[in-house]
Amino acid sequence: MGDNSTIILDPEVFANSFPEGSASLAAVVSALVPALTAGLVLVGVFTLVRQRFPVIYAPRTFLGTIPEKDRTPSAGPSYLGWLQTLRTLPDKFILYHESLDAYLYLRFLRTIIFICVAGCCFTWPVLMPVNATGGGSSTELDKITISNVTKTNHLYAHAVMAWVFLGFVMYTITKERLWLIGLRQAWTLSTPHAQCLSARTVLFLSAPKDSLVQSNINRFFGDAAVRIWPVTNPERLQTLVSERNILVEKLESAEAVFIHKANSRKARGSIEDFNGSRITFADLPDLVKMAMRLRSKPKTFPFFSLFGFPYSKKEDTIQSLRDEIKQKEEQIEEKRQGFEIGEPHGAAAVFVEFKTQADAQRARQQVASSNPMALMPRYTDVKPNEIIWDNLTIPPVRRISEEGMANTLVAMIIIFWSIPSGLVGVVSNISYLAENVEWLHFLKDLPDSVIGLLSGLLPPLLTSLLSKDLPLIFRRIFVLFGSPTRAVNELKVQRWAYVFQVTQVFMVTAVFSGAATVASQLKEQLKDPTGIPTLLATQLPKSSNYYLTYFILQGTTSAADNLFSYASLFKYLSAEYLVDETPRQKFKRYTTMQGIAWCKVFPKFTNFAVIAIAYSCIAPLVLGFAAAGLFLYYLSYRYNLIYVVQPKIDTKGQAYTLALQQLITGVYIAELVLIGFFGLRKAKGPSIITGVLFIVTIVYTVLMNKYMAPLEETLPAELVSTADRDDETTPLLSSTEEGRGSTTTTTTTPTDTSALMPYVFKSVERFFDSRASHGSMKSWIVSDKDDFDIDEQCKAPEYTDEELKRAYLHPALTAPTPVIWMARDPMEASKNEVSGNEESGLRASDAGAWLDERRIVHWDLVDFEKVPVWRRAVRY
């Protein structure tokens, strides 16, 4: 072993020095069989229970909170009818009837699937034979990776293919970003959206006191400003409203228990003889009624409370709660009447409505104050249900410091996560650890199938669990540290979740996964560090086997679980029969649809694509596994978005924009890996070719971000002004856009060499113009209007004076006392309780809910108009 260092510096000798027994195929098979089996079982169970629980698996087909025009066509009684619906409904149905983000998310999945499939077509016919005949001694799946190439001339194929495939990736990203710019412009400027109140309203943070007064509106915001909604911190009032709502829930629970008792056999048996006629609550003896109302409540002696002498006293809890609610009502009304805007010292915000969308866009971009921190930052298209009210009234200095603290905390969490992520990477090479770590030698006695299961299935499963809920932790952190709206918060989390995915799920895991296989060799090379880079360059590509099993597990088990959603089913059943006791609780549980966290799904699948692109030229098999896994995920998310999900956060396409910008990371990693590998192999020609590509990629990124970022962040003033000048009676499309006009475009090929460069520049200009055209995307949006009946959606919303007045006021200033909702019962005890609540000055109702003979609460699932707590949502 003394001359080992000199041998290792020769790549060919070094490649042949490793044991030939690769477990890559066994690990993949060991992961595939149980994952595929589990996935098929989950899909089978889903098919069987889907019709039994439509509220979990198909709420968009019937739920009253979904407007009828936006509901998904029912699949009928057939077990497999939903497959036909999925086959016939295009993704564009989601654009018209759900949200822009939902449609773009599916398009994102299709785009990265397309990149992976195209990559397979580019790389497999070329690189797999080149790798297999590269002269190395690798076996099984390692034989078709770049680690098996020891012949320098073979590496030219990888350099050329990097230009071809990575250039194609950059072209696809550019094309998609241009298309998205045009779509977002057309969607935002369309009549239904442009006439919404949120499109004409701007949120200004850090507002000075004078800007909160209606009489100063033109001074601060110009002549186009119409009205303002000042926001200050009504802390005490907000506390009272929260306490009142909690008391209402307690009262409804107490009423539910009382009505349940009134319909018990014990209550009915309290009447000895009633001639067989129908018994009602009014027929019960007064003592029985009072006994049902009295409940024990802990008390302490007034003079001995310091010594803690507790005792229990029976009291009418229902009446006590009524009195407390009424007392809270009076306190709330008093606070509202006396609510005044004090000196906020920047801890205030203001919503400003403008005459048109163009005026709002101009106000967002103009400088409104000489104070650099006043009226900054600003946001448009903010809907009332997206506002995080507690974070609007934060002083500017504190807001900046809190944002820094949040970023620091999230970065520290990501760094800490390197420890478990690295351990997962080590476990993926358990066979090598068994050979090189003395206290793990016992693992060599395990059967090959068990070794394959531990190294193939366990690591990707652990990686999935480690990264599953971390974005939701990030979301909570940014909410606690000052994000003003849920959409802004979602984009912040998306950026950091992407950093986590790339660094921990990819880079750290990949480094440890490959490095663990040569741990003992590293110890021997510590005396001669010059051999370590060669060692790592040869072995790191083998970490691709880990991601083959990762994609298998994600594409089969996780995608099937995403479809079956057993957690949601268990939660609903347990709450329905064990937790929920009042009509309101059941109504909320039934009508609260499942959402989707864009900050969670976009980074995850962006990282999927980054991994596939990074390994495209060193282990092209990864592209195929990634494409298969992504396609299964696409099917499961397509079902959920059509049948199940109701997005609760609207980024208006910004999440997709951010994901496209992040995809370029995969290109950089792929190029850097190739440059490093070629350098260690002393392949001068391939190194130069790839180095030039790396420089081109940098120039491409700088130029694309410079010229596209402004169009992705703001609406062009020209388009907005043109849209506002159009008369409302003008058709959405001109005759040319609808295809009835005549447009003629001619393309000529230059014959004169001197005219070649201008022709090239004009071709590039046409490429950008044709894909970023607002007019063409406007035409595309309504191209299927006859198939989807979207005329109703093209109507501008109308608002009442009361809706406008309350639109952006703090909920603590406007929220009324909830109606006390009880279930009607056979004994008619609910009628007595409704009267009792109304006598106490509280609104109450027993409509739309009832108690059956088994004393189980039901409510009207069909006609929501009968439900007293339901209100039709206003489209702001």
Side-chain angles (χ1 to χ4, degrees), residues 733-742:
L733 299 178
S734 65
S735 60
T736 300
E737 289 170 334
E738 288 180 339
R740 297 193 298 269
S742 60

Side-chain angles (χ1 to χ4, degrees), residues 441-459:
H441 284 344
F442 72 92
L443 294 174
K444 293 191 291 185
D445 299 330
L446 296 175
D448 291 342
S449 58
V450 176
I451 292 290
L453 191 65
L454 291 176
S455 61
L457 182 62
L458 184 60

Side-chain angles (χ1 to χ4, degrees), residues 414-456:
I414 292 176
I415 294 172
F416 169 78
W417 231 257
S418 300
I419 299 174
S421 296
L423 292 176
V424 169
V426 171
V427 172
S428 68
N429 283 283
I430 196 169
S431 58
Y432 292 95
L433 291 175
E435 293 180 3
N436 296 302
V437 181
E438 184 176 353
W439 60 277
L440 293 178
H441 284 344
F442 72 92
L443 294 174
K444 293 191 291 185
D445 299 330
L446 296 175
D448 291 342
S449 58
V450 176
I451 292 290
L453 191 65
L454 291 176
S455 61

Side-chain angles (χ1 to χ4, degrees), residues 302-322:
F303 297 107
F304 299 98
S305 57
L306 293 176
F307 301 97
F309 294 111
Y311 72 101
S312 295
K313 179 183 178 181
K314 295 275 188 180
E315 68 173 27
D316 187 345
T317 307
I318 292 177
Q319 188 58 48
S320 176
L321 288 170
R322 290 171 182 170

Side-chain angles (χ1 to χ4, degrees), residues 499-782:
V499 173
F500 169 79
Q501 286 281 338
V502 172
T503 56
Q504 303 303 323
V505 177
F506 181 22
M507 300 302 296
V508 171
T509 306
V511 168
F512 277 89
S513 179
T517 65
V518 289
S520 61
Q521 296 284 348
L522 282 172
K523 294 178 182 178
E524 296 177 6
Q525 295 304 312
L526 288 177
K527 295 181 181 180
D528 183 12
T530 58
I532 295 177
T534 305
L535 183 65
L536 295 177
T538 305
Q539 290 299 321
L540 281 180
K542 289 188 178 181
S543 64
S544 62
N545 296 328
Y546 166 82
Y547 289 104
L548 297 180
T549 58
Y550 178 70
F551 288 140
I552 287 173
L553 184 69
Q554 291 291 318
T556 53
T557 307
S558 297
D561 174 51
N562 188 44
L563 193 67
F564 177 44
S565 190
Y566 64 86
S568 298
L569 179 61
F570 176 77
K571 182 179 179 181
Y572 169 76
L573 291 177
S574 59
E576 176 72 13
Y577 296 106
L578 300 177
V579 178
D580 298 339
E581 59 181 359
T582 69
R584 188 188 302 273
Q585 291 172 339
K586 290 182 177 290
F587 173 81
K588 286 183 177 179
R589 185 82 58 186
Y590 198 89
T591 58
T592 301
M593 295 179 62
Q594 180 181 338
I596 184 169
W598 304 126
C599 65
K600 185 176 179 180
V601 294
F602 269 109
K604 176 178 179 178
F605 295 108
T606 302
N607 189 46
F608 262 50
V610 167
I611 293 171
I613 294 169
Y615 277 107
S616 60
C617 295
I618 63 174
L621 188 62
V622 172
L623 286 167
F625 279 75
L630 287 168
F631 179 71
L632 293 176
Y633 258 118
Y634 168 76
L635 294 179
S636 67
Y637 276 109
R638 192 168 190 273
Y639 175 88
N640 281 334
L641 288 171
I642 288 177
Y643 280 105
V644 180
V645 169
Q646 179 62 38
K648 296 177 173 61
I649 298 176
D650 183 12
T651 70
K652 299 166 185 66
Q654 293 184 72
Y656 186 28
T657 299
L658 188 56
L660 289 174
Q661 294 170 356
Q662 294 166 342
L663 279 179
I664 198 66
T665 305
V667 176
Y668 280 112
I669 295 175
E671 292 169 353
L672 290 173
V673 170
L674 287 175
I675 291 172
F677 192 89
F678 295 156
L680 293 174
R681 285 290 191 268
K682 298 180 180 180
K684 186 175 180 181
S687 295
I688 294 174
I689 294 173
T690 312
V692 173
L693 176 60
F694 183 73
I695 295 173
V696 170
T697 305
I698 294 176
V699 174
Y700 156 83
T701 305
V702 172
L703 291 178
M704 288 302 101
N705 288 337
K706 178 180 179 180
Y707 292 107
M708 287 192 188
L711 294 174
E712 291 170 335
E713 295 171 1
T714 59
L715 287 173
E718 176 191 7
L719 291 179
V720 179
S721 299
T722 303
D724 283 333
R725 284 196 302 266
D726 290 342
D727 188 83
E728 292 184 2
T729 60
T730 303
L732 183 62
L733 299 178
S734 65
S735 60
T736 300
E737 289 170 334
E738 288 180 339
R740 297 193 298 269
S742 60
T743 57
T744 304
T745 57
T746 58
T747 304
T748 59
T749 303
T751 56
D752 186 4
T753 306
S754 62
L756 180 61
M757 291 309 295
Y759 172 75
V760 171
F761 288 132
K762 287 184 179 180
S763 298
V764 173
E765 185 179 356
R766 280 197 302 271
F767 169 80
F768 282 91
D769 285 345
S770 62
R771 286 160 178 79
S773 170
H774 160 257
S776 61
M777 293 312 302
K778 185 178 176 183
S779 177
W780 178 84
I781 287 175
V782 297

Side-chain angles (χ1 to χ4, degrees), residues 846-859:
D846 63 353
W850 63 92
L851 210 66
D852 64 12
E853 62 278 359
R854 296 178 299 169
R855 296 189 292 172
I856 296 177
V857 176
H858 301 272
W859 62 279

